[in-house]
């Protein structure tokens, strides 16, 4: 098995970054889209829902396709679609067009991520594979911090169109690197027959595990809270505190930096503390975050720093829960690891897609509305986690 070269590893890192960049880069421009398309907050937030739905579909359907057709050709097709979808977003004459284009963009970005993981599985084993997966995970954590910052700086040069110009060029550059450095990694003899029937049968088998279902529902509710923040914070912070799109990106980055720190701390603590113990701590932190946001609302505290602290406490719950949920859910499904991972990704993205538009439709895209919805979801997650997994025994590392 040939070793993966640094250029190949860097190329895979760029492919993994496409997902967070296409999702987070244009968040600072959401309020501007309302004015440009003469539409509502809810319809603009549906562009986020569409992207998440596309990512959900990409994670469950692309895997079987790449197992049958190989890695390189589907990847080149996915990157081509990414470029075309970026141009479609750029040319969108109305919000409906944008919603459809965002779905396709999310699907193509998720396809790239899935294929990268398959490429690593084909080309690396043992410690080398673990290092490459860790690199991709680090990129997945850092890209949401960098993407809105890049988007905010681009908005100093032009309106929201410039974001999709950047994404189109980014997709083209990544496609060039793939053409130059990533060969086909799955030989013809190792390919399987394309059969979604077998995939659906495997889904049914995994979903008969009630513990697995509790874990993926828990992950979905927690990500719903994050999706509420993603969909509502641009309006809440820019309109509530008068921040410019660029200033908003600094606030968003502060929140995501705390989440990155929680991810890193969780990774370190797993050497000494069990996954279930860390997850229970994360759920407890979620209750604290809910209390902070409810306090802000009840006493009508109009303070930017305290609001950001509340958001950071809430969003960083993911750092102590999501990786542990993934590990616990996958533990009993090693023989169907790909299917289980796909279902987790699908459930998480679908939950975010549902939560995003509900933020403004039900609660309102302001400080009180976003905080209330996030608090409800965090409390629901804590109840589900503490009761649904009450018999889970900590395992010493």
């Amino acid at each position: 098995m040939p070793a993966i070269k640094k250029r190949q590893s860097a190329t895979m890192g760029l492919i993994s970054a496409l997902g967070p960049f296409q999702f987070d880069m244009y968040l600072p421009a959401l309020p501007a889209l309302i004015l440009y398309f003469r539409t509502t907050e809810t319809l603009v937030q549906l562009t986020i829902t569409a992207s998440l739905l596309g990512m959900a579909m990409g994670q469950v359907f692309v895997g079987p396709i790449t197992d049958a057709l190989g890695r390189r050709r589907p990847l080149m097709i996915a990157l081509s679609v990414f470029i075309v979808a970026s141009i479609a977003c750029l040319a969108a004459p109305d919000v409906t067009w944008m919603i459809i284009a965002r779905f396709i963009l999310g699907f193509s970005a998720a396809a790239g991520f899935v294929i990268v993981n398959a490429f690593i599985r084909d080309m690396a084993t043992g410690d080398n594979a673990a290092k490459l997966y860790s690199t991709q995970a680090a990129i997945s954590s850092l890209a949401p911090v960098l993407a809105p910052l890049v988007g905010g700086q681009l908005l100093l040069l032009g309106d929201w169109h410039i974001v999709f110009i950047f994404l189109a060029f980014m997709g083209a550059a990544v496609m060039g690197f793939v053409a130059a450095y990533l060969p086909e990694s799955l030989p013809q003899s190792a390919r399987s027959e394309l059969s979604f029937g077998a995939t659906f049968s495997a889904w049914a088998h995994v979903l008969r595990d009630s513990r697995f279902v509790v874990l993926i529902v828990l992950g979905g509710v927690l990500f719903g809270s994050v999706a509420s923040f993603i969909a509502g914070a641009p309006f809440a912070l820019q309109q509530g505190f008068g921040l410019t799109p660029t200033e908003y990106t600094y606030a968003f980055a502060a929140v995501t930096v705390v989440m990155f720190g929680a991810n890193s701390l969780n990774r370190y603590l797993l050497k000494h503390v069990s996954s279930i113990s860390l997850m229970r701590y994360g759920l407890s932190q979620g209750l604290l975050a809910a209390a902070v946001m409810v306090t802000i609302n009840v006493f009508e505290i109009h303070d930017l720093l305290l609001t950001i602290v509340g958001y950071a406490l809430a969003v960083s719950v993911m750092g102590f829960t999501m990786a542990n949920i993934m590990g616990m859910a996958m533990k009993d499904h090693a023989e169907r690891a790909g299917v289980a991972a796909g279902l987790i990704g699908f459930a998480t993205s679908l939950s975010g897609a549902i939560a995003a538009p509900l933020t403004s439709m039900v609660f309102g895209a302001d400080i009180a509305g976003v905080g209330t919805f996030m608090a409800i979801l965090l409390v629901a997650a804590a109840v589900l986690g503490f009761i649904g997994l009450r018999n889970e025994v900590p395992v010493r590392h």
Side-chain angles (χ1 to χ4, degrees):
M1 183 176 292
I4 294 180
K5 300 176 182 178
K6 290 182 178 180
R7 291 176 180 175
Q8 293 175 330
S9 181
T11 299
M12 288 187 289
L14 288 173
I15 298 168
S16 296
L18 289 176
F21 266 76
Q22 66 84 23
F23 188 73
D24 292 326
M25 261 187 69
Y26 91 128
L27 294 179
L30 287 182
L33 290 178
I34 294 176
L35 298 175
Y36 185 88
F37 290 129
R38 298 180 181 178
T39 187
T40 64
E41 290 176 352
T42 300
L43 285 175
V44 167
Q45 287 176 334
L46 281 177
T47 66
I48 294 175
T49 295
S51 180
L52 286 168
L53 283 175
M55 293 169 73
M57 297 299 180
Q59 289 183 77
V60 294
F61 287 112
V62 170
I65 292 173
T66 63
D67 287 340
L69 303 180
R71 316 303 187 198
R72 183 180 167 90
R73 185 170 47 157
L75 179 56
M76 294 295 283
I77 293 173
L79 290 171
S80 299
V81 172
F82 184 92
I83 296 168
V84 172
S86 298
I87 295 171
C89 290
L90 173 65
D94 54 48
V95 72
T96 302
W97 180 299
M98 177 65 83
I99 290 170
I100 295 170
R102 289 291 295 161
F103 174 87
I104 298 170
L105 193 61
F107 186 98
S108 60
F113 179 77
V114 169
I115 295 170
V116 161
N117 284 335
F119 185 91
I120 293 174
R121 189 173 65 242
D122 295 339
M123 298 292 289
T125 57
D127 291 342
N128 191 28
K131 290 177 182 177
L132 288 166
Y133 282 124
S134 296
T135 300
Q136 305 310 311
I139 290 168
S140 297
S141 297
L142 278 174
V145 179
L146 297 176
L149 290 174
V150 173
Q153 295 304 308
L154 287 173
L155 289 173
L156 294 175
L157 305 176
D159 65 5
W160 62 270
H161 292 87
I162 197 169
V163 172
F164 294 104
I165 293 173
F166 179 90
L167 286 173
F169 277 104
M170 183 178 180
V174 172
M175 190 174 182
F177 282 117
V178 170
Y181 301 126
L182 286 190
E184 176 57 63
S185 62
L186 187 68
Q188 194 74 36
S189 59
R191 297 179 189 181
S192 60
E193 183 180 351
L194 182 59
S195 172
F196 286 106
T199 301
F200 294 145
S201 175
W203 289 356
H205 182 276
V206 172
L207 290 173
R208 282 195 286 269
D209 179 357
S210 60
R211 176 178 171 275
F212 180 87
V213 172
V214 169
L215 286 165
I216 65 171
V217 172
L218 176 59
V221 174
L222 287 168
F223 187 70
S225 177
V226 176
S228 175
F229 165 73
I230 290 171
F235 303 100
L237 295 178
Q238 291 184 49
Q239 297 173 2
F241 292 101
L243 301 184
T244 66
T246 300
E247 289 170 341
Y248 161 75
T249 63
Y250 300 143
F252 186 91
V255 172
T256 50
V257 163
V258 175
M259 184 175 71
F260 177 75
N263 274 321
S264 300
L265 181 59
N266 181 77
R267 191 162 54 248
Y268 171 77
L269 290 175
L270 279 172
K271 300 175 184 177
H272 312 285
V273 184
S274 67
S275 295
I276 185 64
S277 296
L278 286 169
M279 192 191 75
R280 286 169 177 160
Y281 163 77
L283 295 175
S284 300
Q285 180 180 307
L287 291 175
L288 173 62
V292 170
M293 289 186 286
V294 169
T295 300
I296 291 173
N297 290 346
V298 170
F299 293 99
E300 297 182 352
I301 302 172
H302 191 75
D303 183 85
L304 177 60
L305 180 60
L306 185 58
T307 301
I308 292 174
V309 168
Y311 287 154
L313 277 172
V315 172
S316 62
V317 167
M318 292 290 285
F320 294 107
T321 55
M322 206 60 213
N324 297 312
I325 287 172
M326 185 82 172
M328 293 164 61
M330 298 286 284
K331 184 177 71 172
D332 297 329
H333 298 284
E335 75 285 359
R336 293 179 175 85
V339 172
L343 282 171
I344 294 169
F346 176 80
T348 302
S349 297
L350 182 62
S351 299
I354 294 170
L358 287 179
T359 305
S360 63
M361 289 173 61
V362 179
F363 298 93
D366 53 19
I367 297 297
V370 174
T372 298
F373 192 27
M374 291 180 72
I376 290 171
L377 290 172
L378 288 169
V379 171
V383 171
L384 176 63
F386 284 122
I387 295 177
L389 299 171
R390 62 188 179 279
N391 296 324
E392 196 78 20
V393 178
V395 177
R396 291 184 179 274
H397 290 270

Short mmCIF file of all heavy atoms in Angstrom, two decimals, residues 152-183:
data_model
loop_
_atom_site.label_atom_id
_atom_site.label_comp_id
_atom_site.label_asym_id
_atom_site.label_seq_id
_atom_site.Cartn_x
_atom_site.Cartn_y
_atom_site.Cartn_z
N GLY A 152 -16.27 37.80 5.90
CA GLY A 152 -16.39 39.19 6.36
C GLY A 152 -15.42 40.12 5.67
O GLY A 152 -15.76 41.26 5.33
N GLN A 153 -14.20 39.64 5.44
CA GLN A 153 -13.21 40.47 4.74
C GLN A 153 -13.59 40.65 3.28
O GLN A 153 -13.41 41.74 2.71
CB GLN A 153 -11.82 39.83 4.86
CG GLN A 153 -11.28 39.76 6.29
CD GLN A 153 -11.25 41.12 6.96
OE1 GLN A 153 -10.70 42.09 6.42
NE2 GLN A 153 -11.84 41.20 8.14
N LEU A 154 -14.12 39.59 2.66
CA LEU A 154 -14.55 39.72 1.27
C LEU A 154 -15.68 40.74 1.13
O LEU A 154 -15.75 41.48 0.14
CB LEU A 154 -15.02 38.36 0.73
CG LEU A 154 -13.93 37.32 0.44
CD1 LEU A 154 -14.56 35.99 0.10
CD2 LEU A 154 -13.03 37.78 -0.70
N LEU A 155 -16.55 40.80 2.14
CA LEU A 155 -17.68 41.74 2.07
C LEU A 155 -17.23 43.20 2.19
O LEU A 155 -18.01 44.11 1.90
CB LEU A 155 -18.70 41.41 3.17
CG LEU A 155 -19.49 40.11 2.94
CD1 LEU A 155 -20.33 39.77 4.16
CD2 LEU A 155 -20.37 40.23 1.71
N LEU A 156 -15.99 43.40 2.59
CA LEU A 156 -15.44 44.76 2.56
C LEU A 156 -15.12 45.18 1.13
O LEU A 156 -15.01 46.37 0.84
CB LEU A 156 -14.16 44.83 3.41
CG LEU A 156 -14.34 44.63 4.92
CD1 LEU A 156 -12.97 44.60 5.60
CD2 LEU A 156 -15.22 45.73 5.52
N LEU A 157 -14.98 44.18 0.23
CA LEU A 157 -14.62 44.46 -1.17
C LEU A 157 -15.84 44.50 -2.09
O LEU A 157 -15.75 44.99 -3.21
CB LEU A 157 -13.64 43.39 -1.67
CG LEU A 157 -12.36 43.19 -0.84
CD1 LEU A 157 -11.56 42.03 -1.41
CD2 LEU A 157 -11.54 44.47 -0.83
N GLY A 158 -16.96 43.93 -1.63
CA GLY A 158 -18.15 43.90 -2.48
C GLY A 158 -19.33 43.36 -1.71
O GLY A 158 -19.25 43.15 -0.49
N ASP A 159 -20.45 43.10 -2.40
CA ASP A 159 -21.63 42.57 -1.72
C ASP A 159 -21.57 41.04 -1.67
O ASP A 159 -20.51 40.44 -1.93
CB ASP A 159 -22.91 43.08 -2.40
CG ASP A 159 -23.06 42.56 -3.83
OD1 ASP A 159 -22.23 41.74 -4.27
OD2 ASP A 159 -24.01 43.00 -4.51
N TRP A 160 -22.70 40.39 -1.37
CA TRP A 160 -22.70 38.95 -1.15
C TRP A 160 -22.26 38.15 -2.37
O TRP A 160 -21.81 37.01 -2.23
CB TRP A 160 -24.09 38.49 -0.70
CG TRP A 160 -25.18 38.74 -1.70
CD1 TRP A 160 -25.96 39.85 -1.81
CD2 TRP A 160 -25.60 37.85 -2.76
NE1 TRP A 160 -26.85 39.71 -2.86
CE2 TRP A 160 -26.66 38.49 -3.45
CE3 TRP A 160 -25.20 36.59 -3.18
CZ2 TRP A 160 -27.30 37.92 -4.54
CZ3 TRP A 160 -25.83 36.00 -4.25
CH2 TRP A 160 -26.87 36.66 -4.93
N HIS A 161 -22.36 38.71 -3.57
CA HIS A 161 -21.95 37.99 -4.78
C HIS A 161 -20.48 37.56 -4.71
O HIS A 161 -20.11 36.50 -5.24
CB HIS A 161 -22.16 38.86 -6.03
CG HIS A 161 -23.60 39.12 -6.35
ND1 HIS A 161 -24.31 40.16 -5.80
CD2 HIS A 161 -24.48 38.46 -7.16
CE1 HIS A 161 -25.55 40.15 -6.27
NE2 HIS A 161 -25.68 39.14 -7.09
N ILE A 162 -19.66 38.38 -4.07
CA ILE A 162 -18.22 38.10 -4.07
C ILE A 162 -17.90 36.81 -3.33
O ILE A 162 -16.91 36.14 -3.63
CB ILE A 162 -17.45 39.30 -3.47
CG1 ILE A 162 -15.96 39.22 -3.85
CG2 ILE A 162 -17.62 39.38 -1.95
CD1 ILE A 162 -15.19 40.48 -3.51
N VAL A 163 -18.75 36.44 -2.38
CA VAL A 163 -18.54 35.19 -1.64
C VAL A 163 -18.62 33.99 -2.59
O VAL A 163 -17.78 33.08 -2.54
CB VAL A 163 -19.58 35.06 -0.51
CG1 VAL A 163 -19.51 33.68 0.13
CG2 VAL A 163 -19.36 36.14 0.54
N PHE A 164 -19.60 34.00 -3.47
CA PHE A 164 -19.77 32.86 -4.38
C PHE A 164 -18.77 32.89 -5.53
O PHE A 164 -18.44 31.83 -6.09
CB PHE A 164 -21.21 32.83 -4.88
CG PHE A 164 -22.18 32.52 -3.77
CD1 PHE A 164 -22.95 33.53 -3.21
CD2 PHE A 164 -22.28 31.23 -3.26
CE1 PHE A 164 -23.83 33.25 -2.17
CE2 PHE A 164 -23.16 30.95 -2.22
CZ PHE A 164 -23.92 31.96 -1.67
N ILE A 165 -18.27 34.07 -5.88
CA ILE A 165 -17.15 34.13 -6.83
C ILE A 165 -15.94 33.43 -6.22
O ILE A 165 -15.27 32.61 -6.87
CB ILE A 165 -16.81 35.60 -7.17
CG1 ILE A 165 -17.96 36.24 -7.95
CG2 ILE A 165 -15.51 35.68 -7.97
CD1 ILE A 165 -17.78 37.73 -8.18
N PHE A 166 -15.68 33.73 -4.94
CA PHE A 166 -14.56 33.09 -4.23
C PHE A 166 -14.75 31.58 -4.18
O PHE A 166 -13.80 30.81 -4.43
CB PHE A 166 -14.45 33.66 -2.81
CG PHE A 166 -13.35 33.05 -1.98
CD1 PHE A 166 -12.08 33.59 -1.99
CD2 PHE A 166 -13.60 31.92 -1.20
CE1 PHE A 166 -11.07 33.02 -1.23
CE2 PHE A 166 -12.58 31.35 -0.44
CZ PHE A 166 -11.32 31.91 -0.45
N LEU A 167 -15.98 31.11 -3.86
CA LEU A 167 -16.23 29.67 -3.77
C LEU A 167 -16.04 28.98 -5.12
O LEU A 167 -15.52 27.86 -5.18
CB LEU A 167 -17.64 29.42 -3.25
CG LEU A 167 -17.87 29.69 -1.76
CD1 LEU A 167 -19.34 29.56 -1.41
CD2 LEU A 167 -17.03 28.74 -0.90
N ALA A 168 -16.45 29.63 -6.21
CA ALA A 168 -16.27 29.04 -7.53
C ALA A 168 -14.79 28.87 -7.85
O ALA A 168 -14.36 27.81 -8.34
CB ALA A 168 -16.95 29.91 -8.59
N PHE A 169 -13.99 29.90 -7.55
CA PHE A 169 -12.55 29.80 -7.79
C PHE A 169 -11.90 28.79 -6.85
O PHE A 169 -10.98 28.07 -7.24
CB PHE A 169 -11.90 31.18 -7.63
CG PHE A 169 -11.99 32.03 -8.86
CD1 PHE A 169 -12.89 33.08 -8.94
CD2 PHE A 169 -11.18 31.78 -9.97
CE1 PHE A 169 -12.99 33.87 -10.08
CE2 PHE A 169 -11.26 32.56 -11.11
CZ PHE A 169 -12.17 33.60 -11.17
N MET A 170 -12.38 28.73 -5.61
CA MET A 170 -11.85 27.75 -4.66
C MET A 170 -12.12 26.33 -5.16
O MET A 170 -11.23 25.46 -5.12
CB MET A 170 -12.50 27.96 -3.29
CG MET A 170 -11.97 27.05 -2.20
SD MET A 170 -12.75 27.41 -0.59
CE MET A 170 -11.91 26.19 0.44
N GLY A 171 -13.36 26.09 -5.63
CA GLY A 171 -13.68 24.77 -6.18
C GLY A 171 -12.83 24.41 -7.37
O GLY A 171 -12.37 23.27 -7.51
N ALA A 172 -12.57 25.40 -8.25
CA ALA A 172 -11.75 25.15 -9.44
C ALA A 172 -10.31 24.83 -9.04
O ALA A 172 -9.67 23.94 -9.62
CB ALA A 172 -11.79 26.37 -10.36
N ALA A 173 -9.79 25.56 -8.04
CA ALA A 173 -8.42 25.31 -7.58
C ALA A 173 -8.30 23.92 -6.98
O ALA A 173 -7.33 23.18 -7.27
CB ALA A 173 -8.01 26.37 -6.56
N VAL A 174 -9.27 23.54 -6.16
CA VAL A 174 -9.24 22.21 -5.54
C VAL A 174 -9.34 21.13 -6.63
O VAL A 174 -8.64 20.11 -6.57
CB VAL A 174 -10.39 22.06 -4.53
CG1 VAL A 174 -10.48 20.62 -4.03
CG2 VAL A 174 -10.18 23.00 -3.35
N MET A 175 -10.16 21.37 -7.63
CA MET A 175 -10.30 20.41 -8.73
C MET A 175 -8.96 20.24 -9.46
O MET A 175 -8.59 19.12 -9.84
CB MET A 175 -11.37 20.89 -9.71
CG MET A 175 -11.77 19.87 -10.75
SD MET A 175 -13.17 20.48 -11.73
CE MET A 175 -13.46 19.07 -12.79
N GLY A 176 -8.24 21.33 -9.62
CA GLY A 176 -6.91 21.25 -10.25
C GLY A 176 -5.95 20.42 -9.43
O GLY A 176 -5.19 19.60 -9.98
N PHE A 177 -5.98 20.60 -8.10
CA PHE A 177 -5.12 19.81 -7.22
C PHE A 177 -5.49 18.33 -7.27
O PHE A 177 -4.61 17.46 -7.27
CB PHE A 177 -5.21 20.32 -5.79
CG PHE A 177 -4.42 21.58 -5.53
CD1 PHE A 177 -5.07 22.75 -5.15
CD2 PHE A 177 -3.04 21.60 -5.66
CE1 PHE A 177 -4.36 23.92 -4.91
CE2 PHE A 177 -2.32 22.76 -5.43
CZ PHE A 177 -2.97 23.92 -5.06
N VAL A 178 -6.78 18.04 -7.32
CA VAL A 178 -7.22 16.64 -7.40
C VAL A 178 -6.73 16.01 -8.70
O VAL A 178 -6.22 14.89 -8.71
CB VAL A 178 -8.76 16.56 -7.30
CG1 VAL A 178 -9.24 15.14 -7.64
CG2 VAL A 178 -9.23 16.95 -5.91
N ALA A 179 -6.88 16.74 -9.79
CA ALA A 179 -6.44 16.22 -11.09
C ALA A 179 -4.94 15.93 -11.10
O ALA A 179 -4.48 14.97 -11.71
CB ALA A 179 -6.78 17.22 -12.19
N ALA A 180 -4.18 16.76 -10.37
CA ALA A 180 -2.72 16.62 -10.38
C ALA A 180 -2.20 15.59 -9.38
O ALA A 180 -1.21 14.90 -9.66
CB ALA A 180 -2.08 17.98 -10.11
N TYR A 181 -2.86 15.49 -8.21
CA TYR A 181 -2.23 14.75 -7.11
C TYR A 181 -3.00 13.55 -6.58
O TYR A 181 -2.40 12.71 -5.89
CB TYR A 181 -1.96 15.71 -5.94
CG TYR A 181 -1.07 16.86 -6.29
CD1 TYR A 181 -1.47 18.17 -6.05
CD2 TYR A 181 0.18 16.66 -6.89
CE1 TYR A 181 -0.65 19.25 -6.38
CE2 TYR A 181 1.00 17.73 -7.23
CZ TYR A 181 0.58 19.02 -6.97
OH TYR A 181 1.38 20.08 -7.31
N LEU A 182 -4.30 13.43 -6.86
CA LEU A 182 -5.05 12.31 -6.29
C LEU A 182 -5.36 11.27 -7.36
O LEU A 182 -6.21 11.49 -8.23
CB LEU A 182 -6.35 12.79 -5.65
CG LEU A 182 -6.25 13.53 -4.31
CD1 LEU A 182 -7.64 13.72 -3.71
CD2 LEU A 182 -5.34 12.82 -3.33
N PRO A 183 -4.72 10.12 -7.33
CA PRO A 183 -5.02 9.06 -8.30
C PRO A 183 -6.24 8.26 -7.84
O PRO A 183 -6.74 8.44 -6.73
CB PRO A 183 -3.75 8.19 -8.23
CG PRO A 183 -3.30 8.34 -6.80
CD PRO A 183 -3.64 9.75 -6.40
#
